[in-house]
Amino acid sequence: MRSLGPRRTRGEASTGPGRRCRSGGLIGKWLLAYAEGVADDVFKALADPTRRAILDELTEKSGQTLFEICSRLTMKHRLGISRQGVSQHLAVLEAAGLVETRREGRYKFHDLNTTPLRQIAERWLVPDPSGPQESTP
């Protein structure tokens, strides 16, 4: 039988990746695991075509409410998805860091954040030591 890790008593908190201790800092060795987990979250968020359509809409017009996003998805992309479904997709995108939200009164606005995408792209960019080369036809 496979062990699922140490048993916790009632009231003990899990200290998995991204978990914070009471002082607010990341816990010990999980710092490295959390940094890698961010890329995983971004790839998982981008794997779904509905979430990619939401990101496309936020690219065209940032700062949309849930109602505006639902309307644009229905009219432009012919997606028959409920407000609750779009809200859940936005939660996944927000957890991955691709969408940021701000509240103004009773409205919640969603903005695109491309920083996680840049971090992933920069991870695999290899600097060319010879500089730019001319291409010959």
Side-chain angles (χ1 to χ4, degrees):
M1 182 169 199
R2 191 172 153 210
S3 172
L4 298 176
R7 295 190 92 176
R8 289 185 209 81
T9 60
R10 179 177 264 172
E12 279 187 290
S14 170
T15 56
R19 302 287 179 160
R20 296 187 180 274
C21 62
R22 288 187 180 157
S23 64
L26 287 172
I27 298 171
K29 296 179 183 178
W30 293 107
L31 183 61
L32 181 60
Y34 177 71
E36 291 176 3
V38 171
D40 291 343
D41 290 343
V42 172
F43 284 122
K44 288 176 187 174
L46 293 174
D48 187 79
T50 303
R51 290 194 280 268
R52 290 193 304 265
I54 292 170
L55 291 175
D56 289 340
E57 290 306 317
L58 289 174
T59 300
E60 284 187 28
K61 182 182 177 230
S62 194
Q64 295 184 60
T65 63
L66 177 61
F67 177 78
E68 291 173 310
I69 294 170
C70 290
S71 299
R72 291 174 69 109
L73 290 174
T74 301
M75 298 300 289
K76 217 172 153 186
H77 298 277
R78 306 279 189 235
L79 291 175
I81 186 169
S82 67
R83 286 173 53 95
Q84 182 180 6
V86 173
S87 181
Q88 290 173 348
H89 282 297
L90 283 167
V92 171
L93 291 168
E94 190 173 356
L98 293 168
V99 171
E100 294 179 341
T101 59
R102 59 186 160 83
R103 284 202 173 269
E104 291 180 18
R106 58 190 262 181
Y107 297 103
K108 184 176 180 181
F109 296 95
H110 301 85
D111 298 296
L112 179 65
N113 179 18
T114 58
T115 305
L117 296 173
R118 278 193 222 110
Q119 290 171 343
I120 289 173
E122 290 170 1
R123 179 178 178 175
W124 287 293
L125 286 179
V126 179
D128 187 13
S130 63
Q133 297 178 357
E134 294 180 23
S135 60
T136 53

